[in-house]
Amino acid sequence: MGLRRFGRLVKWVGGNGRRPFSTSSSSSCDEMMVQQIASGKSLNLYSAINQALHIALETDPRAYVFGEDVSFGGVFRCTTGLADRFGKQRVFNTPLCEQGIVGFGIGLAAMGNRAVAEIQFADYIFPAFDQIVNEAAKFRYRSGNQFNCGGLTIRSPYGAVGHGGHYHSQSPEAFFCHAPGIKVVIPRSPRQAKGLLLSCIRDPNPVVFFEPKWLYRLSVEEVPEHDYMLPLSEAEIIREGNDITLVGWGAQLSIMEHACKDAEKEGISCELIDLQTLLPWDKDTVEASVRKTGRLLISHEAPVTGGFGAEISASIVERCFLRLEAPVARVCGLDTPFPLVFEPFYMPNKNKILDAIKSTVNY
């Protein structure tokens, strides 16, 4: 399997490793974003998402963006400038009702529009769970393909942020990977975020697009200004190796990359794969890598029990049982509500991953 590259791993700024919300004022953030887009220089992740939304609205008059506080830019500034440019008929606030936001989006998409709904935090997506898994995911199937809501994309920031506690830090992606009929996509960096989001908006199926919120300002890289899309359901091999395969997605990729570098100092060659799309996921790329290395480690922030890593593990064991040199390792969040002061103990950090790499290789 050849090395696939749709963009390099993120360049990190603010190297203290902490995960804070930005303390910059909204106006200064907005000015910075406008300057970055105009100059074509490096973009952070929220600016890349903003670019993608601008392009989606500009290239398709049927596209709409809506959610809580989106008209003034949203709490993370991802929708800054959209209402001013495209009007409040196409970019507008909704009541604080996640079930209503998604239900409205389903109806809008069913009428042939591109509905981009924002759920302010992934922790609050659960009131919309019924609308997503029982309505959006089944709309095409229940009508025998006569009707669909494929124009629906649901954006939501997920994951740890340093001080979010149990209501602003969760990673609920596995819940939605159990619902055939939708796609689940998670980018790791600005370049991926822009290209994957445009692909999601234009895909003929409803998509849940989770954005790693602690990368909104910390993740910076060169992002093409033009309109481009990256393929869904296609994993990317970020780093080639021979001794063990590591699989992850979203914010966890940077942690895994650091662990791979430390393992290399001890003579362990790691192959690192960004899954990018969790549903449907790219089994062939992961299988080919594991057949080469004979070992697999999966890491994600969500709790280990019932996490999507379990599905990857089961599928690869079925496909590669006779090639495995060691049990599949999972380095994930703990089976507890997401803690506040104990977040460092909960998180699957670099040292935990490095220990698992060494124990798996030395099995």
Side-chain angles (χ1 to χ4, degrees):
M1 177 65 67
L3 179 65
R4 300 178 191 165
R5 285 198 179 274
F6 296 110
R8 60 182 175 79
L9 197 66
V10 298
K11 171 186 175 184
W12 289 93
V13 296
N16 59 11
R18 297 178 66 190
R19 304 178 175 188
F21 283 112
S22 171
T23 56
S24 302
S25 67
S26 296
S27 60
S28 62
C29 288
D30 298 347
E31 291 172 1
M32 178 185 68
M33 182 184 67
V34 171
Q35 291 172 358
Q36 288 173 331
I37 294 174
S39 63
K41 295 181 180 179
S42 297
L43 295 180
N44 58 26
L45 194 138
Y46 94 91
S47 301
I49 289 171
N50 183 271
Q51 258 195 16
L53 294 173
H54 268 89
I55 291 172
L57 289 164
E58 191 169 47
T59 57
D60 191 342
R62 304 170 302 159
Y64 297 84
V65 175
F66 51 93
E68 298 164 17
D69 302 322
V70 300
S71 67
F72 76 85
V75 295
F76 295 106
R77 315 310 297 159
C78 292
T79 55
T80 295
L82 297 181
D84 292 338
R85 181 170 179 182
F86 299 102
K88 293 187 177 181
Q89 298 299 315
R90 297 181 64 198
V91 181
F92 49 89
N93 292 337
T94 65
L96 201 160
C97 178
E98 287 78 12
Q99 184 177 18
I101 293 170
V102 175
F104 173 79
I106 291 171
L108 192 63
M111 299 302 293
N113 300 292
R114 297 291 178 191
V116 184
E118 178 181 307
I119 303 296
Q120 201 165 84
F121 287 87
D123 311 64
Y124 300 118
I125 201 170
F126 298 111
F129 193 77
D130 178 61
Q131 290 291 321
I132 296 171
V133 304
N134 269 340
E135 303 299 336
K138 299 173 174 63
F139 206 103
R140 189 191 304 271
Y141 181 82
R142 67 187 290 199
S143 71
N145 202 30
Q146 294 183 68
F147 312 104
N148 71 84
C149 60
L152 173 65
T153 301
I154 303 166
R155 296 178 43 249
S156 190
Y158 86 99
V161 74
H163 54 258
H166 50 287
Y167 285 137
H168 294 85
S169 306
Q170 297 176 73
S171 300
E173 64 271 13
F175 288 101
F176 300 96
C177 291
H178 197 65
I182 60 174
K183 295 186 177 183
V184 179
V185 179
I186 306 179
R188 75 171 187 273
S189 71
R191 186 182 182 119
Q192 271 64 36
K194 179 179 176 180
L196 290 172
L197 180 54
L198 284 169
S199 294
C200 292
I201 293 171
R202 293 162 177 169
D203 193 84
N205 301 281
V207 184
V208 180
F209 186 83
F210 287 116
E211 300 163 5
K213 61 177 173 287
W214 75 282
L215 299 186
Y216 272 143
R217 289 170 175 78
L218 292 180
S219 175
V220 180
E221 68 178 349
E222 295 293 328
V223 178
E225 289 187 273
H226 64 269
D227 184 346
Y228 68 92
M229 297 189 296
L230 299 180
L232 303 182
S233 297
E234 188 170 309
E236 180 182 351
I237 301 173
I238 297 173
R239 180 188 182 98
E240 287 191 315
N242 299 308
D243 296 327
I244 185 171
T245 299
L246 278 70
V247 175
W249 50 86
Q252 196 62 14
L253 265 297
S254 64
I255 310 299
M256 299 172 77
E257 172 78 358
H258 288 303
C260 289
K261 291 178 179 178
D262 284 0
E264 188 176 34
K265 297 175 184 177
E266 302 189 31
I268 301 174
S269 174
C270 301
E271 183 146 299
L272 180 60
I273 298 176
D274 179 6
L275 210 56
Q276 299 191 119
T277 303
L278 275 65
L279 185 67
W281 63 286
D282 185 357
K283 296 181 183 179
D284 293 340
T285 295
V286 178
E287 177 186 354
S289 177
V290 174
R291 287 190 179 277
K292 178 178 70 171
T293 66
R295 302 173 182 88
L296 174 63
L297 184 152
I298 308 152
S299 185
H300 55 69
E301 287 185 21
V304 61
T305 300
F308 195 66
E311 173 61 28
I312 298 172
S313 175
S315 295
I316 294 303
V317 167
E318 289 174 357
R319 289 173 169 231
C320 304
F321 182 75
L322 297 179
R323 288 288 298 123
L324 288 172
E325 302 287 343
V328 176
R330 288 182 290 161
V331 183
C332 308
L334 304 180
D335 287 334
T336 70
F338 199 101
L340 181 58
V341 296
F342 294 122
E343 179 176 307
F345 300 98
Y346 173 95
M347 292 296 291
N349 60 30
K350 181 191 72 172
N351 291 334
K352 291 180 182 179
I353 295 171
L354 181 60
D355 288 344
I357 289 173
K358 291 189 286 188
S359 64
T360 302
V361 170
N362 296 323
Y363 180 78

